[in-house]
Amino acid sequence: MLEKRYEPKDIEKKWYDFWIEKDYFRAASKSDKPAYCIVIPPPNVTGSLHIGHALDITLQDIMIRWKRMSGFNTLWLPGTDHAGIATQNVVEKELQRQGTDRHKLGREKFIEKVWEWKKLYGGTIINQLKVMGASCDWSRERFTLDEGLSRAVREVFVRLYEEGLIYRGEYLINWCPRCHTALSDLEVEHEDKQGKLYYIKYNFTDQEGHITVATTRPETYLGDTAVAVNPEDERYRHLIGKKVRLPVINRDIPVIADDFVDSSFGTGAVKVTPAHDPNDFEIGKRHNLPFINILTGEGRMSEEAGPYKGQDRFECRKNVLKDLEDIGRLEKVTDHAMAVGHCYRCKTIVEPYLSKQWFVKIAPLAEEAIRAVKEGQVKIIPSGWENSYFDWMENIKDWCISRQIWWGHRIPVWYCRDCEEIIVSRETPAECKCGSAAPVQDDDVLDTWFSSALWPFSTLGWPDDTDDLKTFYPTSVLITGFDILFFWVARMMMMGLKFMKEEPFRHVYIHALIRDAEGQKMSKSKGNVVDPLKMTEKYGTDAFRFTLAAYAAQGRDIKFSEQRVEGYRHFLNKIWNVARFISMNVKEETEIVPVRKIYKGDLRTAPTLADRWIMSRLSSVIPEVGKSLEEYRFNDAAGALYQFIWHELCDWYVEMIKPELYGEDQESKKIAVSTLVHVFEVSLALLHPVMPFITEEIWQQLPRGKETESLCIRKYPSSGEGTEDREAERKMNVVMDAVTGIRNIRGELNLSPSLELQALIKASNNAEDILNENVAYIGKLARTKDVRIGREVHHPKNSASAVRPDMEIFIPLEGLFDIDAEIIRLTKEKGKVEEEIQFVGKKLSNENFVRKAPPAVVEENKLKYDEYMEKLKSIQNNIDKLDQWRKSDE
RNA sequence: AGGCGCGUAGCUCAGUGGGAGAGCGCUUCCUUGACACGGAAGAGGUCAGGGGUUCAAUACCCCUCGUGCCUACCA
């Protein structure tokens, strides 16, 4: 006997441990079964579970559990990402608290510290995945800095270098002065800001007058090496070649002509700072201008900034402006909207900064990755994301992969101390060609995303030719949010195609972003984050998972509301209670027969209409769920299960079989119980991928279904576990019509639910036998007695009426009857029917409709029209009767 | 600046070229032997606005308004 309420807490832990102990989640390196593989988007090792992960994990687990039950050799490969900058930041903060820093510690000691930290806290998020029920193969857990993965990173680096796809050079990159490292273009977040445009006067060196330039960053004038104008600009043409003198620092720079300059913007004259602006950098190269770096890596003014040396970049801006103003060189200031780049890790404003970095020449790789999607080897779902993918890939720029931090994959490049030799190698070289000993390794590490780009094959053992690789590559699907489409998905595509010659995954399913109930992006600073672990504690993991699945409609963001979780907890409660109902009615000694026998007619007693109907409904919900999952329509799968279990199984079927269960006839009881247990067991199996815990708990206590020792390895239901039965569904519809007709009268006339009603049903040929056969159901479900059914039934005095297809229902009410209320009720009903008739009639009288619409549609409308006319006639008759009685009573 | 998406019941959202559905909320009735985290009945919508294509548009096309996001080197 089950407890009165479902208490998720203990149960979840119990079953998760059981599954682990039984090793159900372990995949086989070699197997006759078809393979199904998902690699987890590795969360940051510093991270803790947020609601986005929860969604991600739930959807992946649904697919994995479903496929596992469906007979696939299933691998869900888990792991974490070393998250270079983020992790280094975390540990540095800790050092700061201890009154030290990484420089005092030195590189080696610092890295040791980080590993220690990882050992202590790195498992947090992994444990949280387990709380969510994730059925990962933990024996294959990976970390991007593992030895194996590091070997893959070196291999890739060296091969790309040898092919000329990795190069080193001095370019303008994005620099975070706080993290003290270069960032790739993607790692810069742009934020629209209302800024100012400052107009500065540069005086000519050899003549009177000035030229005015406009800039958003006045402090960079210290690094100006030219003023550029458009060669076509009449205003300035005569000034080309002249020199101007920079105020305060008194450096002379030329006025040059360049097509880049937009004459309509600002004054049409641009100050050129080649070392601090991407456009100016290009101009500087074209015109061979000097590159003056006025900043340090900390974002302070350098030696080159003259009197401003040592000032913070923003402080310097203030001072520069004040000085320019003082000497009358600041012509004016206007408002100007602009986008400012911030570091995606620490939100500091980034600087375009000149430095020597490593880059991947990426266009050739992108080409293949574009083709893979265009030619359909990889399908992106929903397909709308393909556009973004192509857009980015087609305009891709070289990828800056070196980072000036310590935590990460050290770049496998060594420099000789004695000659110019650069050694790029898989192994640490002992000496240089020139004989010099112990070359020095490059100080920098690689972008974390460089290693995650290899994730789908490095985790499977590459560069070795492993069985795992043979079995599971390409993986089946990648499930993730759109926010890392470029960061990660696109890069995995490029690397996978390059090194495996095959796409890393067949499908990419992009899910929604979860926002708060007001539609705001969740963020710690806004304080509107929903903690998934709190949800699991409060409502149980299953209710939370079901909610996420039900929310996961394609192509729309999720506005998360806790109320909805609460609603689905009620669904869990409902399921729990059917289970209780079963446990109360199925005793140890109750005989349960396989449904096959019932439906093959092996038994003396035949299944009832209720049995046949629910089996037929089951046969249609099974493929519906399967198809929805196949198409990643998680919300549809959840909805179909909800509808079937609650509204069909519980609301109708369970109520209908109660007489059998409580009755004396053991034979019919056996059939009802057997069918009930079967349908419920199949329902649990269908639900299991979405709510693994409660289904396992109930299933283990169910009096049947122990062919396997756990639900999570039971065969996923196929439609054969139901029995399609059109006739039963047709008959059931007639019964339901009768029942809802009577309930409707009861409800609308406010008759007590406990009052037993008499009912007379005037049935058509079609319905008469069906109703007679099933009159017991009507009695039970509509709480009626003395139901009389026939073709010749007449409208008794003082009775309410309802018109349904194939039948007319009369409920004699005698003393309870309120004739006026009934007339109002019927008149309202009549009004509705008249509206329908008008609408359909208009269509049918439209010649074009009858001529051009498909015959089936026309026929359908004609039928509808006749039905409504029939209904109208009956209602009118009933109203007329009431009128007559009222008159005769007066 | 360019691109993408969204606007359907009070709220959150499904949905489809043939007069709209769910959950929650709301109203009325009900402790009937699984469940009040429940049951039964009901109210509630010019499917943002305007135009077009079509026999037929909430759905397809165009425009407007509102709203959200992504990409971008306009100083």
Side-chain angles (χ1 to χ4, degrees):
Chain A
M1 178 71 162
L2 279 71
E3 297 295 324
K4 176 124 190 189
R5 270 155 198 257
Y6 173 59
E7 296 293 346
K9 272 194 194 112
D10 318 331
I11 286 166
E12 293 179 2
K13 174 97 175 65
K14 177 179 76 181
W15 291 117
Y16 198 85
D17 290 347
F18 175 75
W19 297 326
I20 294 292
E21 187 193 311
K22 294 284 181 181
D23 219 13
Y24 295 142
F25 304 158
R26 190 192 290 267
S29 294
K30 284 182 173 176
S31 167
D32 296 336
K33 296 177 180 177
Y36 187 85
C37 177
I38 298 179
V39 291
I40 207 169
N44 287 355
V45 68
T46 52
S48 60
L49 195 79
H50 60 65
I51 197 161
H53 294 125
L55 174 65
D56 214 50
I57 293 305
T58 298
L59 301 185
Q60 289 174 64
D61 199 39
I62 290 171
M63 295 306 283
I64 284 285
R65 285 180 183 270
W66 172 52
K67 289 291 179 180
R68 184 182 295 118
M69 290 172 79
S70 303
F72 286 77
N73 176 26
T74 309
L75 170 59
W76 186 10
L77 197 150
T80 46
D81 188 306
H82 68 278
I85 299 173
T87 310
Q88 175 154 333
N89 284 351
V90 169
V91 176
E92 280 195 278
K93 261 183 207 156
E94 200 172 285
L95 292 180
Q96 202 180 357
R97 273 196 297 274
Q98 295 165 6
T100 180
D101 62 57
R102 68 179 164 116
H103 299 286
K104 284 183 194 151
L105 242 55
R107 185 164 191 150
E108 226 165 281
K109 274 263 160 41
F110 176 74
I111 288 175
E112 255 174 53
K113 275 265 176 211
V114 185
W115 275 108
E116 269 172 41
W117 185 93
K118 192 252 171 191
K119 224 181 248 172
L120 271 176
Y121 305 107
T124 306
I125 195 158
I126 292 294
N127 291 327
Q128 291 168 333
L129 298 183
K130 292 175 181 172
V131 171
M132 287 300 297
S135 63
C136 300
D137 181 348
W138 299 107
S139 73
R140 285 177 166 84
E141 183 182 339
R142 294 289 186 273
F143 180 53
T144 47
L145 270 178
D146 278 350
E147 208 186 314
L149 274 65
S150 301
R151 200 153 66 86
V153 166
R154 277 198 180 189
E155 181 69 29
V156 165
F157 187 97
V158 173
R159 276 167 62 175
L160 289 176
Y161 179 82
E162 283 167 354
E163 284 186 48
L165 291 172
I166 281 184
Y167 63 91
R168 190 182 192 220
E170 191 161 32
Y171 293 93
L172 214 50
I173 44 80
N174 306 291
W175 182 266
C176 174
R178 206 219 58 85
C179 298
H180 215 265
T181 180
L183 300 171
S184 73
D185 292 340
L186 274 180
E187 288 167 311
V188 176
E189 288 174 352
H190 291 273
E191 197 182 308
D192 286 333
K193 227 183 96 180
Q194 192 54 246
K196 303 273 185 210
L197 197 54
Y198 304 93
Y199 290 74
I200 305 171
K201 293 191 268 195
Y202 288 176
N203 288 347
F204 292 107
T205 308
D206 305 323
Q207 62 184 80
E208 286 298 301
H210 66 268
I211 187 165
T212 302
V213 295
T215 179
T216 53
R217 301 194 54 197
E219 72 279 12
T220 61
Y221 99 89
L222 298 165
D224 282 1
T225 52
V227 168
V229 297
N230 192 296
E232 305 299 315
D233 194 333
E234 295 297 339
R235 293 172 297 174
Y236 297 121
R237 189 173 279 178
H238 64 287
L239 297 173
I240 296 166
K242 297 262 193 276
K243 293 211 160 183
V244 295
R245 180 159 296 168
L246 293 173
V248 184
I249 54 170
N250 296 322
R251 184 164 67 236
D252 291 346
I253 58 172
V255 176
I256 60 170
D258 195 288
D259 285 338
F260 165 78
V261 180
D262 174 0
S263 304
S264 64
F265 188 90
T267 61
V270 189
K271 60 189 273 312
V272 182
T273 324
H276 295 281
D277 179 277
N279 296 315
D280 295 4
F281 179 82
E282 297 299 326
I283 296 176
K285 280 210 295 196
R286 279 199 288 273
H287 297 269
N288 240 332
L289 299 171
F291 289 64
I292 301 175
N293 191 341
I294 59 164
L295 283 174
T296 68
E298 286 76 27
R300 293 186 167 274
M301 306 314 290
S302 73
E303 203 72 43
E304 301 283 358
Y308 304 98
K309 182 194 163 192
Q311 294 181 7
D312 172 80
R313 53 189 167 146
F314 300 113
E315 183 197 335
C316 174
R317 176 179 303 175
K318 278 186 210 153
N319 292 332
V320 162
L321 284 169
K322 186 175 171 294
D323 292 347
L324 291 175
E325 177 125 56
D326 285 351
I327 57 172
R329 297 298 190 86
L330 189 60
E331 189 175 292
K332 62 173 174 174
V333 182
T334 57
D335 285 335
H336 182 65
M338 55 189 198
V340 182
H342 296 73
C343 170
Y344 85 135
R345 282 295 169 218
C346 71
K347 313 297 170 198
T348 302
I349 294 181
V350 300
E351 284 293 334
Y353 193 65
L354 194 62
S355 65
K356 216 172 203 183
Q357 304 286 347
W358 289 93
F359 297 87
V360 176
K361 194 171 159 190
I362 207 143
L365 300 174
E367 214 172 285
E368 294 300 311
I370 291 168
R371 186 178 312 157
V373 174
K374 286 231 158 106
E375 292 178 358
Q377 284 112 275
V378 178
K379 201 172 151 198
I380 301 181
I381 303 146
S383 59
W385 290 107
E386 285 178 4
N387 283 335
S388 309
Y389 175 85
F390 291 138
D391 199 47
W392 188 70
M393 284 295 214
E394 279 157 10
N395 298 300
I396 201 161
K397 278 184 283 168
D398 284 357
W399 176 15
C400 174
I401 50 171
S402 41
R403 297 289 177 274
Q404 287 65 49
I405 55 173
W406 289 349
W407 178 241
H409 298 278
R410 189 118 173 225
I411 291 178
V413 174
W414 288 260
Y415 307 96
C416 179
R417 294 167 204 259
D418 298 314
C419 69
E420 297 288 295
E421 186 68 14
I422 293 176
I423 308 159
V424 178
S425 163
R426 293 163 181 85
E427 307 296 334
T428 305
E431 58 176 31
C432 176
K433 273 193 270 187
C434 73
S436 170
V440 188
Q441 187 168 10
D442 195 301
D443 273 332
D444 292 350
V445 301
L446 289 165
D447 181 1
T448 307
W449 297 103
F450 189 89
S451 54
S452 13
L454 320 180
W455 187 252
F457 51 98
S458 66
T459 52
L460 293 171
W462 193 89
D464 294 334
D465 190 17
T466 61
D467 286 334
D468 273 7
L469 215 46
K470 283 187 200 124
T471 303
F472 295 112
Y473 194 95
T475 67
S476 309
V477 59
L478 184 85
I479 297 182
T480 191
F482 64 82
D483 48 335
I484 51 175
L485 182 60
F486 307 140
F487 271 116
W488 193 48
V489 181
R491 284 166 178 169
M492 282 191 288
M493 290 280 292
M494 294 189 276
M495 292 300 194
L497 288 161
K498 174 75 186 167
F499 291 96
M500 296 298 297
K501 308 288 170 221
E502 243 184 316
E503 67 281 2
F505 20 72
R506 309 271 187 219
H507 292 169
V508 176
Y509 175 72
I510 304 281
H511 66 239
L513 189 76
I514 302 187
R515 301 166 177 284
D516 73 5
E518 273 74 50
Q520 297 287 308
K521 210 165 167 173
M522 288 187 187
S523 76
K524 276 181 198 152
S525 53
K526 278 187 212 150
N528 61 347
V529 288
V530 171
D531 180 355
L533 295 169
K534 284 201 180 125
M535 294 295 111
T536 63
E537 266 168 48
K538 201 163 162 193
Y539 302 103
T541 303
D542 288 325
F544 183 49
R545 286 173 57 124
F546 195 88
T547 308
L548 293 172
Y551 259 129
Q554 288 182 9
R556 186 200 280 252
D557 283 352
I558 295 170
K559 281 196 214 174
F560 188 85
S561 144
E562 195 175 326
Q563 259 195 4
R564 195 144 169 201
V565 191
E566 200 181 336
Y568 288 123
R569 185 187 55 181
H570 297 173
F571 180 44
L572 275 274
N573 187 252
K574 191 78 182 172
I575 294 165
W576 185 254
N577 275 292
V578 204
R580 285 186 70 222
F581 175 75
I582 292 173
S583 73
M584 292 165 99
N585 287 285
V586 185
K587 304 281 174 259
E588 287 281 318
E589 65 276 13
T590 313
E591 191 193 345
I592 293 177
V593 294
V595 283
R596 269 171 277 133
K597 282 196 167 178
I598 302 175
Y599 288 87
K600 272 190 185 162
D602 291 356
L603 303 175
R604 271 179 294 132
T605 310
T608 62
L609 175 63
D611 298 327
R612 290 172 57 194
W613 173 75
I614 198 68
M615 284 294 285
S616 185
R617 294 306 308 140
L618 184 65
S619 80
S620 87
V621 77
I622 293 168
E624 197 183 339
V625 171
K627 190 162 178 282
S628 299
L629 292 178
E630 203 68 70
E631 294 169 358
Y632 304 101
R633 303 169 65 92
F634 298 97
N635 60 319
D636 284 346
L641 287 165
Y642 186 97
Q643 166 68 23
F644 174 74
I645 291 171
W646 198 316
H647 298 302
E648 297 187 320
L649 182 62
C650 295
D651 287 349
W652 287 96
Y653 178 69
V654 167
E655 292 308 317
M656 287 171 88
I657 60 169
K658 277 179 179 172
E660 266 79 36
L661 296 189
Y662 301 147
E664 292 302 311
D665 184 341
Q666 292 309 311
E667 198 62 21
S668 50
K669 179 169 177 173
K670 185 165 81 185
I671 291 182
V673 165
S674 302
T675 307
L676 172 64
V677 168
H678 169 80
V679 173
F680 189 54
E681 196 258 345
V682 173
S683 303
L684 291 175
L686 289 170
L687 271 173
H688 184 259
V690 188
M691 37 174 89
F693 297 110
I694 191 176
T695 48
E696 179 80 294
E697 170 69 16
I698 294 172
W699 189 85
Q700 293 285 350
Q701 299 196 41
L702 215 60
R704 184 192 161 272
K706 308 272 169 40
E707 300 91 349
T708 58
E709 60 189 352
S710 164
L711 182 52
C712 74
I713 52 167
R714 181 208 192 272
K715 196 180 161 305
Y716 200 75
S718 55
S719 43
E721 297 199 48
T723 305
E724 193 187 343
D725 189 338
R726 297 242 170 109
E727 196 199 0
E729 297 214 25
R730 190 173 58 80
K731 286 182 170 176
M732 183 64 184
N733 283 338
V734 173
V735 173
M736 285 169 135
D737 271 335
V739 171
T740 53
I742 296 167
R743 283 175 172 176
N744 179 281
I745 289 169
R746 190 194 289 277
E748 293 201 339
L749 294 183
N750 246 333
L751 303 166
S752 162
S754 58
L755 183 69
E756 282 204 306
L757 299 172
Q758 203 202 332
L760 292 92
I761 305 178
K762 182 178 169 187
S764 72
N765 278 348
N766 286 336
E768 188 181 6
D769 289 345
I770 298 172
L771 289 170
N772 269 318
E773 282 164 24
N774 297 292
V775 69
Y777 289 132
I778 297 167
K780 165 74 186 151
L781 297 169
R783 211 170 170 81
T784 50
K785 58 174 181 186
D786 295 337
V787 180
R788 247 178 288 155
I789 297 151
R791 264 175 277 176
E792 301 306 321
V793 167
H794 291 289
H795 192 163
K797 200 174 173 187
N798 290 334
S799 60
S801 64
V803 181
R804 299 279 140 144
D806 285 321
M807 75 188 81
E808 233 177 300
I809 301 162
F810 305 107
I811 306 290
L813 289 167
E814 290 307 326
L816 296 169
F817 194 57
D818 179 342
I819 198 165
D820 294 323
E822 177 68 357
I823 289 176
I824 290 169
R825 196 177 73 88
L826 294 187
T827 307
K828 206 173 102 196
E829 180 74 9
K830 183 181 140 194
K832 280 189 200 165
V833 176
E834 279 169 342
E835 265 177 43
E836 294 294 335
I837 289 171
Q838 210 190 358
F839 175 71
V840 181
K842 207 169 129 193
K843 258 190 190 179
L844 289 171
S845 59
N846 181 346
E847 231 180 273
N848 280 325
F849 172 72
V850 180
R851 207 175 62 233
K852 291 189 179 172
V857 175
V858 177
E859 190 51 33
E860 197 186 313
N861 276 276
K862 277 184 181 162
L863 274 172
K864 216 190 270 178
Y865 186 80
D866 292 345
E867 266 171 38
Y868 283 130
M869 285 305 280
E870 195 73 20
K871 188 168 182 180
L872 181 67
K873 214 170 83 188
S874 302
I875 294 173
Q876 190 56 59
N877 279 342
N878 292 334
I879 293 176
D880 290 347
K881 284 255 166 60
L882 293 173
D883 271 337
Q884 275 171 29
W885 292 327
R886 187 165 58 180
K887 275 179 197 139
S888 63
D889 283 352
E890 273 162 8

